[in-house]
Amino acid sequence: MYDAVVLDGPPTGRIGRFLAVNEEVSEVARIGPIHNQAESITRVLQSPATLVHVVTLLEEMPVQETKDAIAELGRLSLRVGSVIANGVRQPLVADEHAAAVADEAPEVREAVGTALGAVDVKAGPAMVSGLLREGADHVLRARLQVEQRQVLAELPVPVRTLPHLADGVESGDLRLLASTLAEQGGV
Amino acid sequence: MATRTETSLDLDAVIADPARRIIVCCGSGGVGKTTTAAALAVRAAEQGRRVVVLTIDPARRLAQSLGLGELDNTPRPVAGLDTSQGGSLDAMMLDMKRTFDEVVEAHASPEKAAQILTNPFYIAVSSSFAGTQEYMAMEKLGQLRAQIGDGSRDWDLIIVDTPPSRSALDFLDAPKRLGSFLDGRFIRLLMAPAKVGGRASLRVFGAGVSLASGIMTRLLGGEMLRDMQTFVAAMDTMFGGFRQRADQTYALLADPETAFLVVAAPERDAMREAGFFIERLASEQMPLAGLLVNRVRVTAAKQLSAGRAEDAADRLEALGGHTLAVSLLRVHAQAAEDAARHRAIITRFGTSHPGVPVGTVPAHPVDIHDLTGLRDIGEALAGRS
């Protein structure tokens, strides 16, 4: 009837309990049709036909939960298909400038002041400080993303990334997300 | 810049009010409830309240910063606090299985308690039934409040984190559902054998059904049925108790000594859940302190709009030689757009829920996982960052 069934699951922290229920039911109802039904569901979940994909953000807590969940799923003999890192932002500051921007270094302030002057944007010290602050935050976030991406790379499962969508999915970017996944080899 | 039409949330006033004994942090999952509860607890304690905070599923490092190395279901003092105002903070993580066991031990005789705690059906129920975590959080809240009431602990403020769930309303509804099931007619009817002529039989809606050869045995298996029977027989002194306890704690929530802080993030789904919850509180006449919107993007350079920043960046790119400045302008344009979008979401909420006090906490680049970070959030919560 269907080639694939996709189930949207609970938050990562609860995935083990969510998927293990059938095992527990089959242990409580030890014989009979309910037991058999629960057993057969467990068999499907543990078969190669079923894959669990873990969606995460490139932030410390979600990545830690992802690692824990993958370990838990392994203990339950459930297969993990991939980890999908969602909401990934493009870094906007070039690597060569990152350190100076992160430190809000004086040369950055100078460069910004000069540039704004060159295009006639009236910029007081407060505005320039604000731009520097935002730049530093941005670099910090970008570094954290890279760090967390590396943590995920150490896992024995493929990792896919999806971009942050400024206006959410309403703007019809669902297809964009789908093709982004397909380009990375699908799930 | 859009003007703020919503009422401002003054959380310092809420935590300073000595008549306030319980603050519940609720909202849908993933909005930062636990961190908010922890930050509020630290701030209240450092302002002189004697606080106990009940967390549900804290992230590992947050748990460590509160000294919650292990789940032991008992509040323990948090080290490193400023106690100059005479306050204190005890913290705990909810262990729902142990809480369930505590309920059993408190209400069944030692022999029956022993039977229940080792019963396979009970063991399955106590950790996997939907709503167990919510039920036990309520139960634990009830216990902590009772300890204040009977003078065994000298806390004067309980801050409650709630389980992560797609629907914020689960915290209110799940305990009653589970309580009803555990006390329910289904379980009881199945299990209360009425001996007729020496043979156990079951009265179901007036019709007698023989248990021994009945369909229940065939569906569930004799062993499971016997487990359930043992469980239910042992639980008989507790019947009525589960729903009753859930109802009692629910009543606590409607008391003026309680305040609900609804936590959300500036995203459509979280704000919608927050709206549902606030409307439900209003209909149950449960006291709302206000809405706290977490992870709000703010720009540090408000004088420059996204459009002007993009325009300046384009012109600089055309000029050449200003890569660094161009990148910072693009960063700013993005930040300004995010900030504008968040502001619009919050304003929209304020328009559809007039009179609800709203507070915001700015987004942080990195996770909070120590007392200093919690203090920073506390400052923001109080509108002072």
Side-chain angles (χ1 to χ4, degrees):
Chain A
M1 250 206 300
Y2 294 107
D3 294 322
V5 177
V6 180
L7 172 66
D8 180 15
T12 303
R14 290 187 157 179
I15 187 64
R17 230 178 354 246
F18 178 74
L19 291 173
V21 164
N22 287 288
E23 220 173 86
E24 283 170 0
V25 169
S26 76
E27 275 168 38
V28 176
R30 275 158 288 201
I31 57 171
I34 288 186
H35 169 87
N36 294 340
Q37 174 75 334
E39 280 254 289
S40 79
I41 292 175
T42 304
R43 267 199 302 275
V44 168
L45 291 178
Q46 291 176 341
S47 78
T50 302
L51 290 175
V52 180
H53 301 284
V54 186
V55 182
T56 184
L57 296 172
L58 291 179
E59 291 170 15
E60 288 178 77
M61 198 195 88
V63 165
Q64 182 58 55
E65 272 199 348
T66 297
K67 287 173 69 177
D68 293 342
I70 289 176
E72 199 186 350
L73 291 167
R75 283 193 296 271
L76 294 169
S77 306
L78 297 162
R79 288 149 217 264
V80 179
S82 68
V83 169
I84 303 175
N86 207 0
V88 177
R89 293 196 184 240
Q90 276 302 105
L92 295 172
V93 175
D95 286 343
E96 74 226 42
H97 297 139
V101 171
D103 292 337
E104 299 187 42
E107 67 257 32
V108 179
R109 177 175 285 273
E110 250 185 69
V112 170
T114 309
L116 290 176
V119 287
D120 289 322
V121 174
K122 191 156 167 18
M127 186 197 292
V128 177
S129 295
L131 292 176
L132 258 60
R133 243 268 298 272
E134 287 176 356
D137 276 357
H138 177 89
V139 169
L140 215 62
R141 280 199 176 88
R143 279 182 184 162
L144 180 64
Q145 275 193 169
V146 168
E147 229 174 62
Q148 296 305 314
R149 183 74 186 72
Q150 275 161 0
V151 171
L152 291 180
E154 290 161 17
L155 296 169
V157 290
V159 181
R160 309 284 179 241
T161 58
L162 287 177
H164 175 258
L165 296 176
D167 296 316
V169 207
E170 274 91 333
S171 60
D173 285 335
L174 206 53
R175 284 189 190 277
L176 170 68
L177 294 181
S179 65
T180 309
L181 274 182
E183 278 164 28
Q184 293 172 63
V187 288
Chain B
M1 278 284 101
T3 47
R4 279 159 212 231
T5 52
E6 62 275 0
T7 320
S8 193
L9 173 61
D10 185 354
L11 272 175
D12 272 354
V14 174
I15 59 186
D17 181 0
R20 215 56 100 164
R21 292 225 180 282
I22 299 175
I23 300 178
V24 183
C25 295
C26 41
S28 52
V31 296
K33 275 185 298 181
T34 307
T35 307
T36 300
L40 198 57
V42 167
R43 189 170 181 84
E46 293 190 333
Q47 294 197 344
R49 299 297 299 261
R50 295 187 303 280
V51 186
V52 57
V53 65
L54 169 63
T55 66
I56 302 299
D57 241 344
R60 187 168 308 177
R61 295 178 75 176
L62 177 63
Q64 281 168 358
S65 74
L66 294 173
L68 299 174
E70 356 149 338
L71 268 179
D72 66 353
N73 223 28
T74 304
R76 303 262 176 233
V78 175
L81 240 58
D82 171 9
T83 52
S84 60
Q85 300 297 308
S88 62
L89 176 59
D90 290 347
M92 64 170 287
M93 278 195 284
L94 178 73
D95 179 339
M96 65 173 170
K97 184 167 193 334
R98 259 198 244 200
T99 305
F100 208 142
D101 293 351
E102 282 167 13
V103 175
V104 171
E105 282 165 346
H107 290 267
S109 69
E111 307 81 49
K112 290 202 170 150
Q115 263 187 312
I116 294 170
L117 298 183
T118 52
N119 181 281
F121 183 70
Y122 169 76
I123 290 169
V125 167
S126 68
S127 38
S128 38
F129 260 7
T132 303
Q133 203 173 41
E134 284 81 1
Y135 185 100
M136 293 310 146
M138 282 272 212
E139 172 62 36
K140 194 42 103 170
L141 169 60
Q143 286 178 12
L144 295 173
R145 181 64 186 86
Q147 287 178 297
I148 294 180
D150 66 20
S152 56
R153 297 304 294 256
D154 78 339
W155 304 308
D156 64 11
L157 180 61
I158 305 171
I159 296 182
V160 186
D161 178 22
T162 54
S165 175
R166 191 161 296 172
S167 163
L169 289 170
D170 275 351
F171 178 67
L172 293 181
D173 294 334
K176 284 191 182 183
R177 282 198 295 263
L178 182 61
S180 294
F181 173 71
L182 290 174
D183 284 351
R185 297 178 81 209
F186 174 72
I187 280 195
R188 228 190 300 200
L189 280 172
L190 268 187
M191 300 308 141
K195 292 217 161 39
V196 175
R199 228 180 43 178
S201 72
L202 185 64
R203 289 206 152 274
V204 180
F205 302 115
V209 172
S210 159
L211 211 49
S213 59
I215 192 155
M216 296 309 296
T217 314
R218 272 187 263 146
L219 275 181
L220 299 175
E223 254 188 274
M224 177 182 178
L225 213 49
R226 270 190 295 281
D227 283 342
M228 285 175 77
Q229 268 183 301
T230 316
F231 168 71
V232 167
M235 292 269 265
D236 67 2
T237 53
M238 297 184 65
F239 274 136
F242 284 106
R243 179 61 196 250
Q244 196 180 61
R245 295 175 79 87
D247 286 348
Q248 269 165 9
T249 322
Y250 198 81
L252 251 188
L253 299 178
D255 194 291
E257 73 172 21
T258 301
F260 281 85
L261 180 63
V262 180
V263 185
E267 292 152 14
R268 190 195 60 161
D269 291 346
M271 296 295 281
R272 192 185 50 208
E273 280 300 311
F276 289 155
F277 198 88
I278 286 170
E279 283 151 25
R280 174 68 178 276
L281 289 178
S283 68
E284 303 271 351
Q285 294 179 314
M286 288 176 169
L288 171 71
L291 171 73
L292 185 75
V293 188
N294 233 344
R295 304 190 187 137
V296 178
R297 292 303 297 271
V298 289
T299 73
K302 296 194 192 344
Q303 315 86 331
L304 187 61
S305 72
R308 280 179 65 214
E310 286 283 14
D311 180 61
D314 291 340
R315 285 190 285 144
L316 283 167
E317 258 177 352
L319 276 179
H322 292 279
T323 349
L324 179 44
V326 167
S327 59
L328 289 190
L329 285 167
R330 301 266 185 234
V331 165
H332 174 73
Q334 200 177 75
E337 269 169 17
D338 287 347
R341 201 175 55 248
H342 288 180
R343 180 100 293 277
I345 289 175
I346 294 169
T347 304
R348 211 164 28 240
F349 183 91
T351 311
S352 54
H353 297 86
V356 172
V358 180
T360 60
V361 175
H364 281 246
V366 291
D367 274 353
I368 303 299
H369 38 62
D370 60 18
L371 279 183
T372 310
L374 288 176
R375 282 192 190 103
D376 286 345
I377 296 189
E379 295 267 313
L381 287 174
R384 284 163 188 40
S385 67

